[in-house]
Amino acid sequence: MKKLIYTLIIAAGLSSCNDNLTLTPIGELMGGNFPATDDDAIALTNGVYQPNVGISTGLSYLSDLTTEVEISGENPNSGGGLLSLLQWDPSNSYVNSVWNALFTGITSANDVIEKVSDSKSISEQIRKRSLGEAQFLRAYYYFYAVQFWGEVPLVLKTSEGSGVTRAAVDDVYAQIVKDLQDAAANLPAVSEYASSDKGRASKGAAYALLAKVYLTWGQVSEGGGATAKKERFGKSIEAANLVTGYQLEEEFLANWSTSNRNGKENIFSTQHNLSQLADGSGGNHLVHCTFNTGFTQTIPHVILSDVKYYEAFDSRDQRKNGTYAKELYNPGGDSIYVFDKPRIRKYIDVNDPYGSASNRNIDRTILRYADVLLVKAEAINEYNGAPNAEAYEAVNQVLRRAFKHFPVTTASADDLTPGLSYDGFKKVIQEQRTFELTYEQSRWFDLVRWRIYVKTLKDSGVDTKYGKQNVSLKNYRFPLPQAQRNINPEGLWQNWGYDGADESKTGANPYAGFN
């Protein structure tokens, strides 16, 4: 992974401003002739990945702890504790840090797009690839931003940012789509990368993210009416079908193995290898959060809210013990340790459980092939108003891997029975995304785009001491950070339901009719 080592030098110009819409990009710091060589262009592009390394925890806290499935074992008055209790506000530290990181990444991507496009001294191969990586990453950062906050500033040039106002959601999605289409045209297939460059954005990653973007856009926006919504679902199917060269891992947990980085199912991950940070760790704090208390009954920073979510899995489903650890081999005592409440298994390194929390070197999965199959199946159901054979096959491949039927392209006894209605198939998709993607930063996004977030948490039956019933309609979005609004109060109006919201811009209740 030598080409993706994120140095503190590259990051230094990208992470220390309060106004993250008017950052000084690394290209300006290096002078007007930068990038002058292919190595310069690669170094500049590497900086666009950097903000993503530090927000694995923040993204998980915003999208996992805020759901019914997980709770925080931290101080309830901490940023993470308040997210878990559904009591966040515009000053929440994780809301602020994620906003800052996303717009730092966007600024850095803008810099690459401008500098590399104008350079006459780098090779065409590196120019195209660097552009594609920056376009992909700008879309990736904006996709998080538009889902978390809705209307967000659309900043596409390094000269922009000061006093900018929030752009319409449809405009943001349209730009994300354009960036991903451009990225797909510029990026190589994953098979074309040298081993030292595995982990970079690829053509497959661009199409995989595009499939998710089109599906989400079709579900969250009424812009363009029914015709536009159906077109987006159709485009989602087309993009999913262009994700080629990937296969499901036979062993579910191979997706989080340090000996199988960027395996055959992986499409895009945050690269958390040991050489990245000055402290010698891989920097994936999710690994620390799940097992910081080790082989004790003391609750770690992040844990499932109720054992019923562990028990909901079929006992034959390998995802049960791949997602949660009720029992775990303790090499120190040469025995099996049984937890009162299962730990989240995906980010525990069983080859080094004692060092797992401190090494923090398991990659964070962002896009993998199972997710693409489920997106494709869901998009088909939305497009047709019912599943077809292709939709069934996509879900069945995920089920066959779960129940260890190989090859996954051959029918099995655990396949779905044909004949489901639109609603019945949608319910299956919702269940399978829960079983497949727990603790992969999907749950809040899924519940929000399905418009069942409040109902799901209120009906969850999770012990009320964990605060999940505190949820309300305003939680369909996060508040804009107050520090950002202090800089630009006119352009960055607050989301509905939070302090300072301007209902002339938000509407009286933009979530009326949501569940």
Side-chain angles (χ1 to χ4, degrees):
M1 301 307 299
K2 63 183 180 180
K3 296 292 182 71
L4 276 180
I5 293 174
Y6 310 123
T7 68
L8 296 179
I9 294 174
I10 290 175
L14 298 172
S15 59
S16 59
C17 270
N18 288 327
D19 184 352
N20 280 274
L21 301 184
T22 55
L23 295 170
T24 301
I26 191 69
E28 290 185 22
L29 297 176
M30 299 299 290
N33 295 324
F34 191 80
T37 66
D38 282 4
D39 285 344
D40 287 346
I42 291 168
L44 186 65
T45 306
N46 286 352
V48 191
Y49 290 87
Q50 173 63 32
N52 187 49
V53 176
I55 57 171
S56 289
T57 300
L59 291 174
S60 179
Y61 277 23
L62 264 63
S63 57
D64 291 325
L65 272 182
T66 55
T67 73
E68 83 286 14
V69 179
E70 292 166 27
I71 58 171
S72 171
E74 296 180 296
N75 182 332
N77 293 315
S78 67
L82 291 169
L83 287 169
S84 180
L85 292 167
L86 283 295
Q87 293 179 359
W88 62 78
D89 62 28
S91 66
N92 185 276
S93 59
Y94 289 102
V95 172
N96 279 263
S97 65
V98 170
W99 172 284
N100 293 345
L102 296 179
F103 280 98
T104 297
I106 289 164
T107 298
S108 184
N110 291 342
D111 190 39
V112 171
I113 292 168
E114 291 174 11
K115 295 291 192 298
V116 171
S117 295
D118 293 340
S119 177
K120 306 299 182 185
S121 57
I122 60 176
S123 68
E124 179 64 11
Q125 178 188 5
I126 295 301
R127 189 188 71 83
K128 283 190 65 178
R129 193 186 83 180
S130 294
L131 277 175
E133 289 177 89
Q135 289 157 343
F136 171 85
L137 289 165
R138 185 166 69 180
Y140 165 79
Y141 292 132
Y142 261 122
F143 188 39
Y144 277 125
V146 75
Q147 291 178 96
F148 282 140
W149 293 287
E151 297 87 351
V152 291
L154 198 54
V155 182
L156 305 177
K157 295 181 180 179
T158 56
S159 60
E160 299 173 346
S162 180
V164 69
T165 192
R166 298 174 68 176
V169 165
D170 286 334
D171 291 343
V172 179
Y173 273 104
Q175 181 60 47
I176 293 170
V177 165
K178 182 182 184 303
D179 273 343
L180 291 174
Q181 290 171 335
D182 291 343
N186 283 323
L187 287 168
V190 66
S191 60
E192 298 175 50
Y193 274 118
S195 59
S196 58
D197 282 319
K198 296 295 185 184
R200 292 186 180 278
S202 65
K203 190 179 298 291
Y207 284 130
L209 187 56
L210 186 59
K212 293 190 79 168
V213 167
Y214 268 127
L215 175 63
T216 303
W217 189 9
Q219 291 170 320
V220 302
S221 172
E222 303 302 322
T227 300
K229 290 172 76 71
K230 184 166 184 175
E231 180 181 358
R232 291 164 194 152
F233 297 138
K235 294 288 187 182
S236 176
I237 300 166
E238 291 175 10
N241 283 331
L242 291 170
V243 181
T244 58
Y246 305 91
Q247 300 176 33
L248 296 178
E249 297 280 359
E250 286 79 7
E251 294 296 325
F252 181 65
L253 274 173
N255 288 297
W256 298 274
S257 171
T258 55
S259 62
N260 186 48
R261 295 184 191 278
N262 305 304
K264 63 185 181 182
E265 185 172 339
N266 176 78
I267 299 174
F268 187 66
S269 296
T270 306
Q271 306 293 298
H272 281 291
N273 60 14
L274 284 171
S275 59
Q276 285 179 337
L277 297 185
D279 66 2
S281 81
N284 186 357
H285 209 68
L286 300 182
V287 185
H288 176 79
C289 291
T290 58
F291 207 57
N292 68 298
T293 54
F295 291 98
T296 71
Q297 300 298 349
T298 303
I299 298 299
H301 291 171
V302 175
I303 196 167
L304 84 166
S305 61
D306 195 306
V307 72
K308 69 182 180 182
Y309 295 115
Y310 166 77
E311 294 171 343
F313 285 87
D314 188 303
S315 61
R316 298 178 299 115
D317 189 337
Q318 66 166 311
R319 296 173 299 184
K320 181 174 188 175
N321 293 323
T323 301
Y324 298 114
K326 185 71 170 70
E327 301 178 350
L328 199 66
Y329 175 67
N330 180 0
D334 191 23
S335 60
I336 300 297
Y337 191 90
V338 180
F339 297 101
D340 293 339
K341 181 175 283 190
R343 300 318 192 229
I344 296 171
R345 172 68 180 79
K346 290 177 180 177
Y347 287 105
I348 299 175
D349 186 353
V350 293
N351 293 318
D352 184 17
Y354 283 104
S356 187
S358 56
N359 291 340
R360 296 181 282 158
N361 64 330
I362 301 176
D363 292 346
R364 179 176 73 89
T365 57
I366 297 170
L367 295 167
R368 56 185 179 88
Y369 191 52
D371 190 5
V372 174
L373 290 171
L374 293 174
V375 164
K376 175 183 173 180
E378 185 175 355
I380 290 171
N381 194 44
E382 296 293 334
Y383 183 81
N384 293 329
N388 61 15
E390 191 177 10
Y392 277 104
E393 178 60 18
V395 177
N396 284 334
Q397 287 190 24
V398 175
L399 286 169
R400 291 166 196 156
R401 191 267 297 278
F403 290 96
K404 295 194 171 186
H405 299 295
F406 304 110
V408 296
T409 52
T410 301
S412 79
D414 288 296
D415 286 2
L416 291 176
T417 302
L420 290 172
S421 65
Y422 164 83
D423 288 330
F425 193 77
K426 185 171 184 177
K427 182 179 180 181
V428 168
I429 292 290
Q430 291 173 344
E431 290 173 344
Q432 289 306 311
R433 288 190 66 83
T434 305
F435 289 141
E436 186 72 26
L437 298 169
T438 291
Y439 206 53
E440 292 185 53
Q441 297 76 66
S442 292
R443 186 61 175 168
W444 182 86
F445 298 112
D446 284 345
L447 294 176
V448 165
R449 67 187 176 85
W450 293 328
R451 300 186 178 185
I452 59 171
Y453 179 54
V454 172
K455 176 178 173 55
T456 299
L457 269 64
K458 285 190 176 294
D459 294 349
S460 66
V462 173
D463 194 317
T464 56
K465 69 182 180 182
Y466 297 130
K468 300 305 180 181
Q469 291 77 9
N470 292 330
V471 68
S472 67
L473 287 173
K474 73 176 184 180
N475 299 134
Y476 269 94
R477 286 184 182 175
F478 287 90
L480 270 68
Q482 189 58 47
Q484 295 298 320
R485 295 197 65 243
N486 290 342
I487 296 168
N488 181 13
E490 289 299 317
L492 300 181
W493 41 270
Q494 187 57 276
N495 279 331
W496 179 87
Y498 296 101
D499 292 343
D502 182 350
E503 291 197 359
S504 69
K505 296 182 178 180
T506 65
N509 180 355
Y511 314 113
F514 288 29
N515 291 316

